[in-house]
Amino acid sequence: MSPQEIARPLATDLTLSTLCSRARAMAEGEAGLYASRRPQSKAMFDNPEPGFYDQVPQYWMRDWPMPFPFAVAGASGSILTDIDGNELVDFCLGDTGAMFGHAPRPIVDALSRSAQRGLTTMLPSGEAAEVGKLLSDRFGPFVFQIATTASDANRFAIRVARAVTGRKKVLVFDGCYHGAVDETLVDFEDGRTVARKNLLGQAVDVTTTTVSIPFNDVAALEAALETHEIAVVLAEPVMTNCGMILPDDGYLQTLRALTRASGTLLHIDETHTISTGLGGYTAVHGLDPDIFVVGKPVGGGVPVAIWGMSRKVAQALSEIRAGMSGIGHSGIGTTLSGSTLQIACLRACLSEVMTAEAYATMSRHADRLEHGFTDAIRAAGLPWHISRVGARLEIVFSAKPVRNAEESRAAAIDDIQHALHIGLLNQGYLVTPFHNMVLVAPTTTDAQIEGLLDGFQTVLTRLVAQEEV
Ligand SMILES: Cc1ncc(COP(=O)(O)O)c(C=O)c1O
């Protein structure tokens, strides 16, 4: 499928450029409405007083496609309230950090109990053995370590992969995101690996550490692995950060077989695909990686990530460590990781929040959304489809599933995406600003699902109506 085939033509008699100009006009009107409902947020973000750079704790918080971000007064279950008193049903869920709803009660209780016992000591808490077992029971027979973010977990696991294989390079797939990890910030352009645009202060040439190839391309994978330079392939089983790209039938099995045959480790990052079901894509689809990572929601919204190694990798690590002289900095670990607080939250999340019942509710809601979105798209005559991994769905502006980042980029239509985002927001529904990701929590209700579907239909009707509405 060529990129041109993907986004066009429309089944309605509107041209893509008419649709985009309508989307732009709609987004402009909606932006005015958005701003008029949020005087306090506006004042906060217009404030010239010194404080946060750009008035936000992380400057990319300005990248949301609204005139200015809104400031959150509270978040509970699936509802966000802003400082101007507007309520939103949250289908963005902190881009996965709050996948199981905001501030689940067991997590709040665990935080409060931890606060009474001391939050961090640089020693393992008495719950560590139980939590280690919970992790193996849930995710598989890995040997685990704790980090504070998925970025860190990936970074540490890459170090181990290099150490135990004695190889330097990491292979990632074009369009990937695995956090703020130097070795992954590359793209595939004109048949070669290039540093991602806009990297700040980059000192190491990432094309010397990393190879990027298109997803679902077996020949490119074989060629890269044949060099025997690749220590590890770092992959999401379904790519979720460049639209949503599903693996071809058998692709992940081929990936496993080829990595094993070439002595390359397979590192599966489940930070987003944990939406698949209990144990993530790995458990649900029987993958057998050497390294397994989950961040974001694994602590119920508290900063914690886990990285697991197969017993073989852990054994190899132990042998290397046994040959080292004395203690010292290995480049792995941070002071507050593995704290009393994180272990308590992991325990609460694994045993009371991230449960089979929670996934069953999420899956039921996601089924309804998948059908409802698809019906609305068909009724509007648009050549789009829904891509899904468990509780996570995306509205993709192409008739057929995209198979790699190039196709996914070709299918993106920013004007329509922005109009959808702000059009839904002004009706009280927050979806992710980047590639229309919709995530369902166990706290989402039937009424909220139906409301989002109605809102979606309203936006589509406005976009494709014969007369502008
Ligand atoms: C697949 C994947 N891995 C890792 C990360 C990094 O997570 P964090 O920003 O919490 O370190 C992300 C962030 O979006 C991600 O999508």
Side-chain angles (χ1 to χ4, degrees):
M1 188 166 38
S2 77
Q4 287 72 19
E5 277 177 81
I6 295 168
R8 353 185 123 70
L10 296 169
T12 69
D13 42 10
L14 291 171
T15 63
L16 184 65
S17 84
T18 308
L19 202 61
C20 285
S21 72
R22 278 195 185 179
R24 280 193 298 277
M26 183 173 147
E28 207 181 304
E30 295 288 336
L33 181 60
Y34 171 92
S36 71
R37 290 176 176 168
R38 291 179 175 80
Q40 292 192 57
S41 278
K42 182 163 181 358
M44 185 171 153
F45 295 114
D46 281 352
N47 181 1
E49 295 295 315
F52 282 123
Y53 175 81
D54 258 356
Q55 288 80 36
V56 281
Q58 297 197 73
Y59 60 76
W60 53 257
M61 288 177 171
R62 286 278 190 177
D63 292 348
W64 284 66
M66 294 95 86
F68 49 86
F70 62 81
V72 176
S76 173
S78 288
I79 300 287
L80 279 186
T81 312
D82 71 19
I83 59 170
D84 289 284
N86 300 289
E87 268 197 5
L88 292 170
V89 183
D90 193 1
F91 287 96
C92 170
L93 297 166
D95 191 26
T96 304
M99 181 187 286
F100 299 98
H102 291 285
R105 173 50 54 191
I107 303 296
V108 173
D109 291 345
L111 283 169
S112 131
R113 277 197 308 277
S114 296
Q116 286 157 26
R117 294 185 308 203
L119 299 170
T120 188
T121 59
M122 230 176 66
L123 286 163
S125 82
E127 289 175 324
E130 184 192 341
V131 171
K133 177 154 179 2
L134 280 173
L135 287 170
S136 304
D137 289 349
R138 176 62 50 86
F139 298 116
F142 302 105
V143 181
F144 289 94
Q145 289 284 269
I146 302 296
T148 295
T149 65
S151 300
D152 273 348
N154 284 329
R155 203 178 288 124
F156 301 152
I158 287 173
R159 268 190 185 274
V160 169
R162 285 180 163 146
V164 305
T165 60
R167 299 178 183 174
K168 290 209 171 109
K169 288 195 175 172
V170 177
L171 185 144
V172 294
F173 292 102
D174 186 27
C176 74
Y177 186 68
H178 296 284
V181 181
D182 278 8
E183 289 89 341
T184 62
L185 297 170
V186 293
D187 286 318
F188 179 79
E189 261 178 36
D190 302 326
R192 49 191 195 96
T193 306
V194 296
R196 200 159 278 181
K197 287 186 191 66
N198 302 334
L199 289 184
L200 270 173
Q202 186 65 35
V204 174
D205 176 359
V206 280
T207 64
T208 62
T209 61
T210 312
V211 174
S212 172
I213 61 167
F215 198 56
N216 281 323
D217 183 338
V218 174
L221 180 64
E222 277 170 339
L225 294 178
E226 266 167 20
T227 63
H228 291 276
E229 287 180 350
I230 311 289
V232 61
V233 173
L234 167 52
E236 288 187 278
V238 172
M239 295 192 74
T240 65
N241 282 292
C242 179
M244 188 185 286
I245 309 170
L246 300 170
D248 287 349
D249 282 347
Y251 183 69
L252 296 176
Q253 288 67 31
T254 305
L255 172 62
R256 177 64 284 191
L258 291 177
T259 44
R260 197 162 268 145
S262 64
T264 299
L265 300 183
L266 178 59
H267 170 160
I268 293 289
D269 178 356
E270 292 259 19
T271 297
H272 281 177
T273 51
I274 195 69
S275 63
T276 310
L278 205 63
Y281 200 96
T282 294
V284 172
H285 293 272
L287 305 186
D288 182 22
D290 303 293
I291 294 170
F292 175 89
V293 163
V294 191
K296 296 197 192 181
V298 76
V302 168
V304 54
I306 57 160
W307 54 286
M309 300 164 267
S310 68
R311 291 194 181 280
K312 204 169 153 200
V313 171
Q315 176 64 31
L317 174 63
S318 298
E319 283 162 20
I320 293 170
R321 292 185 61 232
M324 287 174 153
S325 55
I327 54 170
H329 297 149
S330 63
I332 291 178
T334 56
T335 315
L336 299 187
S337 297
S339 66
T340 308
L341 172 142
Q342 289 178 325
I343 295 291
C345 291
L346 267 174
R347 177 176 183 239
C349 189
L350 292 171
S351 52
E352 296 178 73
V353 178
M354 193 190 256
T355 59
E357 296 72 36
Y359 277 109
T361 307
M362 291 153 80
S363 176
R364 182 172 62 77
H365 285 320
D367 285 348
R368 171 69 189 120
L369 277 183
E370 184 179 5
H371 290 119
F373 282 145
T374 305
D375 289 346
I377 288 168
R378 287 214 185 107
L382 291 161
W384 303 347
H385 76 280
I386 301 301
S387 184
R388 174 178 168 195
V389 56
R392 185 183 190 93
L393 303 99
E394 290 199 2
I395 299 147
V396 189
F397 303 137
S398 70
K400 294 189 214 150
V402 291
R403 292 186 57 243
N404 55 45
E406 189 191 6
E407 291 189 0
S408 187
R409 290 182 191 113
I413 309 173
D414 287 351
D415 290 334
I416 299 178
Q417 186 181 302
H418 294 167
L420 254 178
H421 180 260
I422 197 154
L424 288 171
L425 202 160
N426 281 344
Q427 295 180 74
Y429 299 93
L430 184 68
V431 304
T432 316
F434 322 110
H435 45 90
N436 299 310
M437 190 275 285
V438 177
L439 184 62
V440 177
T443 48
T444 310
T445 65
D446 290 335
Q448 290 167 346
I449 295 283
E450 296 309 319
L452 175 63
L453 287 172
D454 285 349
F456 182 63
Q457 207 161 7
T458 304
V459 175
L460 292 197
T461 306
R462 288 177 63 189
L463 282 175
V464 302
Q466 292 307 312
E467 299 300 322
E468 289 192 31
V469 286

